């Protein structure tokens, strides 16, 4: 089943207490694609500069990631740099250079326009809408990520886009900001009134919550003894979540609940090593084993 993602493909510089790098491949669409493609084939829409060579592109080799929608523009790729605190609980953005991303206008190859599952990564809400306008027919599920920059910077544009989507994946602080409600249940209800029928609130080490109709599911983060780098955890969660829905080929309450497990599992792998290193070597067998372990861990019956 076809799964489309639009978002950043980037170079990142990362500083964590457990390792640093001046330049590694990052970007929301990169994390998403590496995570999701373990479960379902992915079609990627994004832009890179001429510094993104065949060597960098090799990160996707061996995975079912279609790069026909990865545009190459003259100039430098998007660059982002972040530094984490000693306990990894907070991070500071040091540099954001939009470069070729500044004038990005997502263009869907014709073959992508029938995609059934669509993930609109964290970009300008007007551009997110522009992606939907290019679809031949209404996808089965459109999910969206956004951030404080768009919530406070372009609220009217974001409101228009929210009316068109099915599921919003967002972290707890952003949910509070978007809804103007501190209580997460009230925040989710408020977000329902803005358009989405499902709200997934990511809470880092505290796991994630699904609000759908009158039901709530809370999934823990998979407990890890050693974390290295939280970069891309949210995008990898989204990749696991959407990848599992695409392979289930359906969107109902049961499939959304199961997909939450795969979101949590892929997010947990992403943080084990610096950058995308762990996702690159990850296998489907490891994913399934951890998904089983997480289900066992959350079940009352032994
Ligand atoms: P996350 O840890 O989920 O915030 O994702 C981090 C990834 O998002 C990094 O690899 C960055 O390259 C990318 N990123 C950071 N800031 C932005 C932005 N403003 N727009 C798009 N992608 C970004």
């Amino acid at each position: 089943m076809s799964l489309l993602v639009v978002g950043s493909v980037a170079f990142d510089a990362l500083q964590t207490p457990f390792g640093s790098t001046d330049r590694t491949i990052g970007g929301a669409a990169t994390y998403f694609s590496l995570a999701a493609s373990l479960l379902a084939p992915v079609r990627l829409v994004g832009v890179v500069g001429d510094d993104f060579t065949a060597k960098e592109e090799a990160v996707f080799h061996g995975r079912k990631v279609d790069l026909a929608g990865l545009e190459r523009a003259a100039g430098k790729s998007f660059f982002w740099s972040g530094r984490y605190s000693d306990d990894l609980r907070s991070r500071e953005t040091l540099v954001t250079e939009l470069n070729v991303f500044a004038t990005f206008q997502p263009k869907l190859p014709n073959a992508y326009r029938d995609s059934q599952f669509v993930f609109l990564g964290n970009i300008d809400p007007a551009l997110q809408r522009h992606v939907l306008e290019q679809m031949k027919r209404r996808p089965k599920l459109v999910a969206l990520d956004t951030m404080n920059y768009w919530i406070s910077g372009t609220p009217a544009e974001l409101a228009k886009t929210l009316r068109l989507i099915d599921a919003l994946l967002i972290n707890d602080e952003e949910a509070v900001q978007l809804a103007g409600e501190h209580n997460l249940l009230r925040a989710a209800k408020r977000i329902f009134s803005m358009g989405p029928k499902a709200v997934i609130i990511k809470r880092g080490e505290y796991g994630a919550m699904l609000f759908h109709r009158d039901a709530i599911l809370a999934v823990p983060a998979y407990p890890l003894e050693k974390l290295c780098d939280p970069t891309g955890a949210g995008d990898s969660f989204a990749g696991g979540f959407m990848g599992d829905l695409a392979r289930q080929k359906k969107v109902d309450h049961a499939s959304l609940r199961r997909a939450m497990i795969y979101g949590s599992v892929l997010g947990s792998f992403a943080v084990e090593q610096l950058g995308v290193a762990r996702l690159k070597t990850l296998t489907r067998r490891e994913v399934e084993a951890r998904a089983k372990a997480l289900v066992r861990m959350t079940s009352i019956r032994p």
Side-chain angles (χ1 to χ4, degrees):
M1 190 59 65
S2 45
L3 169 58
L4 174 97
V5 57
V6 57
S8 57
V9 176
F11 285 111
D12 288 350
L14 307 166
Q15 291 177 42
T16 88
F18 309 107
S20 297
T21 171
D22 285 344
R23 187 173 138 113
T24 187
I25 294 168
T30 307
Y31 282 97
F32 180 97
S33 300
L34 290 175
S37 60
L38 286 162
L39 306 173
V42 176
R43 297 163 166 181
L44 191 154
V45 175
V47 64
V48 288
D50 34 35
D51 50 0
F52 198 91
T53 65
K55 185 173 144 245
E56 279 79 32
E57 201 180 293
V59 73
F60 297 111
H61 288 173
R63 289 297 178 77
K64 289 186 183 135
V65 181
D66 185 340
L67 299 177
L70 183 62
E71 188 189 319
R72 275 134 214 297
K76 280 163 68 180
S77 301
F78 179 81
F79 176 74
W80 178 80
S81 167
R83 179 167 57 209
Y84 290 86
S85 61
D86 284 348
D87 61 6
L88 293 178
R89 286 199 170 96
S90 58
R91 107 176 156 196
E92 192 188 345
T93 289
L94 304 174
V95 183
T96 301
E97 284 174 14
L98 293 177
N99 299 328
V100 294
F101 211 56
T103 50
F104 178 48
Q105 288 285 333
K107 276 185 277 314
L108 268 55
N110 213 18
Y112 284 19
R113 292 173 200 250
D114 62 352
S115 299
Q116 304 254 28
F117 292 82
V118 174
F119 183 69
L120 303 170
N122 169 29
I123 56 172
D124 182 334
L127 294 184
Q128 292 174 320
R129 241 177 14 255
H130 183 56
V131 170
L132 291 184
E133 284 157 7
Q134 295 174 59
M135 302 303 297
K136 270 192 202 138
R137 63 184 84 86
R138 180 74 174 75
K140 265 191 175 38
L141 181 91
V142 178
L144 178 136
D145 184 16
T146 192
M147 69 187 287
N148 42 19
Y149 182 78
W150 307 114
I151 296 170
S152 55
T154 57
E157 286 296 329
L158 181 60
K160 273 198 229 166
T161 304
L162 283 174
R163 282 200 282 276
L164 304 175
I165 63 146
D166 304 296
L168 178 69
L169 285 101
I170 196 168
N171 74 32
D172 42 9
E173 277 175 28
E174 291 156 354
V176 166
Q177 188 189 356
L178 176 64
E181 281 283 358
H182 285 282
N183 175 291
L184 288 187
L185 180 52
R186 283 207 303 270
K189 285 189 175 165
R190 174 88 191 87
I191 295 169
F192 284 155
S193 73
M194 300 175 184
K197 293 178 277 294
V199 178
I200 294 99
I201 301 185
K202 297 168 288 177
R203 306 178 64 211
E205 64 184 311
Y206 304 110
M209 295 178 86
L210 165 70
F211 298 88
H212 181 234
R213 301 203 194 101
D214 291 333
I216 300 174
L217 174 74
V219 173
Y222 185 83
L224 294 171
E225 252 179 71
K226 273 185 75 178
L227 276 79
C228 175
D229 172 17
T231 309
D235 309 311
S236 305
F237 182 103
F241 179 80
M242 292 295 286
D244 186 53
L245 283 175
R247 73 173 171 172
Q248 293 191 68
K249 299 189 179 70
K250 59 176 188 215
V251 184
D252 56 21
H253 187 65
S255 60
L256 288 169
R257 290 174 79 89
R258 193 183 100 169
M260 289 291 288
I261 294 287
Y262 285 90
S264 183
V265 164
L266 269 302
S268 75
F269 278 115
V271 304
E272 285 185 345
Q273 289 177 20
L274 195 64
V276 296
R278 185 66 184 100
L279 291 183
K280 256 170 38 183
T281 61
L282 187 60
T283 64
R284 191 162 175 161
R285 186 190 285 262
E286 289 174 308
V287 171
E288 298 302 347
R290 190 170 286 186
K292 249 192 193 158
L294 188 60
V295 169
R296 249 194 330 270
M297 226 175 256
T298 52
S299 163
I300 290 161
R301 290 194 191 88

